[in-house]
Amino acid sequence: MSTLSNEERQALCDMFERLLRDRASLESLRSVVAQPEKYDRSVWKELAELGLLSLMINEESDGIGGDAQDLQAIMEIAGRVLFPSPFLSTAVFAVELLQACKNDQLKQECLSDIAAGETIFAVSKGSSTGSWLDETKLSASKSSDTWSLNGVASYVVDAPRADEILVCANTSSGLRMFCVSASDADVQILETDDPSICLGNVSFEGVHAEILDDLDEAAIAHALNTTLVGFAAHQAGATHAIFEQTVEYLKTRYQFGRPIGSYQALKHMAADLLIEVESAITVSREAAAALANGKPNAAQLVSLAAFACADSFRDVSAAAIQLHGGIAYTMEHDAHLFWRHARAGQWLFGTSDQFREQYLQTWEDAA
Amino acid sequence: MTKLVHDGTPEGIHAAVTGWLELNWTTEAERGANASDEGMRAWLTKVRDAGLATPSWPEEWFGLGISARKAGIIEKAFRARKAHGWGRDRFHLGAISVFKMGSEELKREVLPDLLAGPICCLLYSEPNAGSDLAGVRTRAEQDGDEFVVNGQKVWTSNAVEADYGMLLARTNWDVPKHKGLTFFLFPMRQDGVEIRPINQITGESEFNEVFITDARVPARYAIGEVSEGWKSFQTAIAYERLIMAQGGTERRGRQNEPTTPLLIDLARRKNRIDDTSLRQKIAQAIAYRQLNSLNNKRAKAEIAENGASSLMSLGKLAMSRIQHGDARVAAEVLGPEALLSGTPNPDAANASFDAAKAYMNSIGGGTDQIQRNIISERILGLPKDDAVDRDLPFKDVKTG
Ligand SMILES: Cc1cc2nc3c(=O)[nH]c(=O)nc-3n(C[C@H](O)[C@H](O)[C@H](O)COP(=O)(O)OP(=O)(O)OC[C@H]3O[C@@H](n4cnc5c(N)ncnc54)[C@H](O)[C@@H]3O)c2cc1C
């Protein structure tokens, strides 16, 4: 449960929205992502000052103590401008994992560095696809008291800009999570089609790592679910934004002496897309609420949100280009930025097919 | 009056209604209600008088004056006991229309009766007015304090069983089409009303042609003002679409959120549950259904908070994709067995029935195309299509 009241959450959202409007509008996206790190460090600092980087950090660790619903609200806003940043990896996924472990010193240091905007984290399953639903290829072995990692983690979100990497590896006692300094690993930067994301392959050759104590698979799954809710909300916000922009265009663009939005072929497409848009928003909120309130169907709703939001975003952003015509075939227009980000979303945490399969299993298990 | 006594809390309402059912819905009462029309009427009267047929309506109008959410507790308790008579405030379109839009006098006169049994059919569509309902040609002419009605209706569901019909008829031919209509509560059981059943693609025969010749309806049975019926009618059809948005047109026995979705159950029984490509389709079908019910839930919350929600208009269209999609996946699960029919092949028969029945949602109550027009124009604010007949006096409008 969140420590924030509804009013406090609203105030936080308003503040975040203002910051993005002033400092991270869609117009600024292109120049930001042209930088090697693909995010704006000064905006990141400002997020730290506003306390937003400690949104998910518990009050005992001097954070805001927000929950999945607070995160959902923030990420919907971020999605509308395709806000490029390592926020999900660092301030959500890493925070959730660190908070669940028992390494007091590491935890304390990392959380305060994250809150201050000084450390960027990448988090990886250690799979060959980047998917959290594929198996970990990395292995960890222990000699005397130190762990070392071997193997390659592919398609790791935010790895090229991370200071620290949290990564899963197989041990003789199952899957565990490790913390590695990024400078000790070999990070290969990947060129991406979607300019707003940052990806790398990370090779580990006997790299020294600290194991996160008492962090079992259930704890990892919980942290992943919170992150998935955040990503689903980001996609829902983006879906909403590109749809609104498209409907506006249908009202203002004239052909054959009338607004193109008066043609039934386009009106009917728009009506169908509206169902997609609203469903994405609804399910990301419902999944967040279920997770925040510890509802028994939380896992089911999270996997539903994961593929429903990804697919809605893919379909709505693809139709947006078609509905705009030639203007959206230009690099100058924003539509392709949404479309590229939607295509990337089909892979980043797991494919829609994988989440659909997982969703079906939750129904089978319930019965 | 023997209204249900309760303390207004969800737990209190639950306790009160279960207690009431325990006392009243006895084996005898059940047998009586199922044995005859009179038995059913006696039972429904009891439910009405307890405020349980329309709990969300005010106390002076047969209700308990409780919220829709709390009324849901009562519905649930009735359904759990398989007792009749619940949810008239959500599903009885005739009673709802009279309650929301009828005159005080009409409400006093007919509501007690409407809530105790009779069903209402919907006399809207005509051979030349389907999607374009403002184009109806059934004529109602005033004769003292009555109207005389002549015309033909079609696709009228349940006309045979109905005591009343909600009638859309033209009372003024010299004004544009939306302006000369009157919405009536029309007594069906009279000379001059001839009903001919139509065979449907589902094998059922619930809808009919209705021929109306010099039939009569009291002037006070107009719902809303004479010649301003389009407005009342719009409200009534909005309620109908809401019911459909929640799966009100499906095969009975299908629930909105069953514990095991029917498709999983079917795939298990047919040993197809391990087919990975089918699993994807089954999952997607279940997902569409769950997304729609989550949207409906959000709509209700928005209505409770702001009095309105644009999401409400999406449900009926979404339900078409759900029903057609479910039926298609069910047939794929069955494989060639889907070719079969009849009582020896219940799964195949159900699948074919559901595939046909899905059209009730996508055609009845306004087709999917009409729903898309409404969503794009009223919610998204896209420009209306030019309508050539909009401002013409109706008598000059082309038909065919
Ligand atoms: C199971 C069932 C039960 C029914 N029960 C009742 C009932 O109880 N009472 C009653 O009054 N009616 C009832 N109906 C009738 C139903 O409301 C009509 O069938 C429906 O409104 C369509 O009208 P139509 O059949 O004349 O088709 P048409 O209006 O002729 O439509 C034919 C095709 O044209 C399309 N079309 C028409 N206008 C437009 C437009 N402006 N833009 C784009 N496409 C358009 C339609 O979508 C459809 O595809 C029922 C129908 C069904 C299937």
Side-chain angles (χ1 to χ4, degrees):
Chain A
M1 286 294 266
S2 178
T3 55
L4 297 180
S5 67
N6 285 346
E7 291 73 32
E8 287 169 329
R9 180 191 299 160
Q10 191 54 51
L12 203 66
C13 287
D14 292 345
M15 196 167 75
F16 185 55
E17 211 163 7
R18 257 196 316 275
L19 173 70
L20 293 189
R21 194 167 50 231
D22 296 345
R23 307 284 310 281
S25 63
L26 256 180
E27 292 87 76
S28 68
L29 178 71
R30 286 181 179 77
S31 60
V32 169
V33 299
Q35 309 295 317
E37 291 193 308
K38 293 180 157 185
Y39 76 109
D40 185 336
R41 272 185 181 264
S42 66
V43 172
W44 190 254
K45 278 285 173 205
E46 204 142 340
L47 288 178
E49 274 156 36
L50 293 172
L52 277 159
L53 295 184
S54 56
L55 176 70
M56 305 304 285
I57 299 177
N58 295 333
E59 281 186 305
E60 306 88 77
S61 309
D62 301 321
I64 291 186
D67 68 5
Q69 282 184 285
D70 302 315
L71 172 68
Q72 195 283 336
I74 289 289
M75 292 306 293
E76 233 185 273
I77 296 169
R80 282 184 220 150
V81 292
L82 302 176
F83 180 50
S85 84
F87 183 85
L88 262 187
S89 308
T90 304
V92 182
F93 211 163
V95 164
E96 293 286 313
L97 290 166
L98 290 164
Q99 268 178 169
C101 78
K102 290 277 157 59
N103 315 43
D104 287 335
Q105 198 190 344
L106 177 78
K107 172 156 52 175
Q108 218 166 28
E109 280 175 20
C110 290
L111 291 180
S112 71
D113 286 351
I114 288 173
E118 278 161 13
T119 307
I120 302 297
F121 273 83
V123 185
S124 166
K125 176 77 184 291
S127 67
S128 59
T129 59
S131 168
W132 283 80
L133 302 180
D134 283 328
E135 56 187 55
T136 296
K137 298 285 193 208
L138 232 55
S139 62
S141 54
K142 191 174 175 181
S143 78
S144 60
D145 241 6
T146 56
W147 286 92
S148 53
L149 300 186
N150 279 292
V152 180
S154 302
Y155 303 103
V156 179
V157 177
D158 293 335
R161 56 193 177 192
D163 306 295
E164 302 284 335
I165 299 174
L166 298 179
V167 63
C168 292
N170 295 306
T171 72
S172 52
S173 54
L175 196 68
R176 303 296 301 272
M177 195 105 206
F178 296 85
C179 183
V180 183
S181 168
S183 54
D184 291 345
D186 181 16
V187 179
Q188 177 205 352
I189 302 175
L190 297 171
E191 202 174 315
T192 57
D193 176 71
D194 171 11
S196 73
I197 59 166
C198 173
L199 280 184
N201 287 342
V202 189
S203 321
F204 303 86
E205 277 175 55
V207 174
H208 169 74
E210 183 170 355
I211 191 164
L212 300 191
D213 287 328
D214 279 357
L215 193 74
D216 57 12
E217 293 192 25
I220 297 173
H222 187 81
L224 173 63
N225 280 346
T226 307
T227 309
L228 288 173
V229 162
F231 191 54
H234 175 83
Q235 293 180 310
T239 310
H240 190 217
I242 186 60
F243 181 68
E244 270 192 337
Q245 195 177 322
T246 304
V247 171
E248 196 47 42
Y249 192 71
L250 295 180
K251 290 177 189 170
T252 47
R253 167 77 176 165
Y254 276 64
Q255 284 296 283
F256 302 96
R258 51 194 263 208
I260 55 172
S262 65
Y263 293 109
Q264 210 175 45
L266 307 198
K267 282 161 92 165
H268 284 195
M269 276 173 82
D272 285 335
L273 295 175
L274 181 63
I275 296 180
E276 297 300 326
V277 175
E278 296 294 359
S279 299
I281 291 174
T282 300
V283 71
S284 78
R285 292 181 185 170
E286 283 288 335
L291 202 58
N293 298 313
K295 289 278 167 60
N297 65 346
Q300 178 175 83
L301 289 174
V302 171
S303 39
L304 175 61
F307 70 85
C309 293
D311 291 353
S312 293
F313 188 24
R314 176 197 60 200
D315 295 346
V316 172
S317 62
I321 295 182
Q322 186 63 30
L323 288 166
H324 275 87
I327 188 76
Y329 195 68
T330 64
M331 276 291 182
E332 283 92 330
H333 198 273
D334 290 339
H336 77 98
L337 295 173
F338 286 88
W339 173 75
R340 287 182 202 280
H341 193 46
R343 292 179 75 237
Q346 292 284 313
W347 299 99
L348 291 186
F349 292 91
T351 65
S352 290
D353 283 2
Q354 288 179 319
F355 286 116
R356 249 188 301 276
E357 171 60 34
Q358 194 182 50
Y359 171 72
L360 189 65
Q361 285 173 19
T362 64
W363 280 104
E364 293 178 303
D365 295 345
Chain B
M1 290 293 238
T2 45
K3 280 264 167 88
L4 185 79
V5 181
H6 65 94
D7 64 8
T9 66
E11 302 75 36
I13 293 171
H14 177 75
V17 68
T18 17
W20 189 90
L21 283 166
E22 198 57 47
L23 202 66
N24 293 286
W25 186 240
T26 55
T27 322
E28 248 160 81
E30 184 170 354
R31 207 175 294 136
N34 291 333
S36 67
D37 285 356
E38 297 78 55
M40 183 61 92
R41 177 169 274 275
W43 168 252
L44 293 176
T45 304
K46 208 171 209 175
V47 176
R48 177 197 72 196
D49 290 347
L52 297 170
T54 55
S56 67
W57 291 3
E59 298 212 33
E60 65 267 37
W61 292 110
F62 309 101
L64 298 173
I66 61 177
S67 68
R69 188 186 297 248
K70 288 177 181 168
I73 300 171
I74 290 172
E75 291 183 14
K76 242 197 193 131
F78 267 67
R79 286 213 299 250
R81 294 287 311 271
K82 295 195 167 54
H84 306 290
W86 51 272
R88 294 291 194 260
D89 48 356
R90 287 211 297 145
F91 297 110
H92 197 303
L93 287 171
I96 294 171
S97 302
V98 170
F99 170 67
K100 297 272 176 193
M101 299 170 292
S103 66
E104 181 88 12
E105 182 194 9
L106 182 64
K107 278 153 77 169
R108 294 219 179 285
E109 181 176 339
V110 303
L111 271 184
D113 183 41
L114 280 181
L115 291 176
I119 65 163
C120 287
C121 60
L122 308 175
L123 298 165
Y124 305 160
S125 304
E126 297 179 4
N128 283 316
S131 296
D132 181 17
L133 278 175
V136 294
R137 291 170 177 269
T138 292
R139 172 185 294 273
E141 284 162 317
Q142 187 136 23
D143 176 22
D145 54 9
E146 287 185 329
F147 278 81
V148 179
V149 184
N150 282 285
Q152 184 197 339
K153 293 290 174 179
V154 70
W155 322 129
T156 314
S157 303
N158 307 313
V160 176
E161 298 82 11
D163 292 286
Y164 296 96
M166 311 298 298
L167 171 70
L168 192 62
R170 189 161 306 278
T171 39
N172 186 344
W173 297 69
D174 300 322
V175 290
K177 61 189 211 178
H178 294 91
K179 300 198 171 136
L181 300 169
T182 303
F183 197 39
F184 290 104
L185 180 71
F186 174 81
M188 291 290 284
R189 309 226 190 260
Q190 57 170 313
D191 293 343
V193 176
E194 188 199 336
I195 301 168
R196 292 185 204 154
I198 303 172
N199 296 322
Q200 300 170 199
I201 58 174
T202 53
E204 300 167 298
S205 176
E206 48 155 35
F207 67 30
N208 309 270
E209 291 179 290
V210 179
F211 297 88
I212 307 174
T213 316
D214 290 333
R216 293 190 164 249
V217 56
R220 63 179 190 282
Y221 278 34
I223 298 174
E225 299 300 314
V226 170
S227 291
E228 285 180 22
W230 186 246
K231 233 174 89 194
S232 327
F233 163 74
Q234 289 286 304
T235 307
I237 198 155
Y239 273 100
E240 183 182 349
R241 288 170 182 159
L242 266 189
I243 294 172
M244 297 176 88
Q246 296 167 22
T249 51
E250 295 187 280
R251 164 156 57 94
R252 286 234 310 261
R254 215 182 233 294
Q255 304 137 298
N256 241 347
E257 278 173 283
T259 39
T260 317
L262 294 177
L263 286 171
I264 293 183
D265 185 50
L266 186 68
R268 278 186 176 147
R269 285 193 289 107
K270 301 293 165 188
N271 291 322
R272 301 294 308 277
I273 193 71
D274 295 327
D275 181 316
T276 46
S277 131
L278 267 182
R279 288 180 69 79
Q280 288 289 316
K281 293 177 185 172
I282 293 171
Q284 189 62 55
I286 297 169
Y288 282 142
R289 194 171 277 278
Q290 190 170 24
L291 289 171
N292 189 47
S293 72
L294 294 174
N295 276 337
N296 285 338
K297 179 177 157 198
R298 180 172 148 220
K300 279 181 197 149
E302 287 183 1
I303 289 171
E305 203 172 307
N306 325 313
S309 168
S310 58
L311 282 171
M312 269 314 191
S313 319
L314 302 182
K316 180 175 179 288
L317 180 58
M319 191 48 80
S320 288
R321 174 166 76 176
I322 293 167
Q323 292 185 12
H324 285 288
D326 275 10
R328 209 168 297 143
V329 178
E332 279 186 62
V333 171
L334 289 174
E337 189 187 331
L339 293 166
L340 308 179
S341 100
T343 31
N345 306 294
D347 291 323
N350 278 340
S352 304
F353 179 89
D354 288 347
K357 188 86 175 184
Y359 286 102
M360 175 166 184
N361 195 86
S362 58
I363 298 175
T367 66
D368 282 358
Q369 288 67 40
I370 295 302
Q371 290 307 109
R372 290 186 177 100
N373 287 348
I374 292 173
I375 292 165
S376 58
E377 288 168 10
R378 301 207 198 135
I379 300 179
L380 297 175
L382 293 175
K384 267 187 167 323
D385 256 335
D386 291 335
V388 287
D389 58 357
R390 200 159 184 89
D391 299 317
L392 287 181
F394 188 74
K395 57 182 187 313
D396 302 332
V397 169
K398 277 199 190 129
T399 182

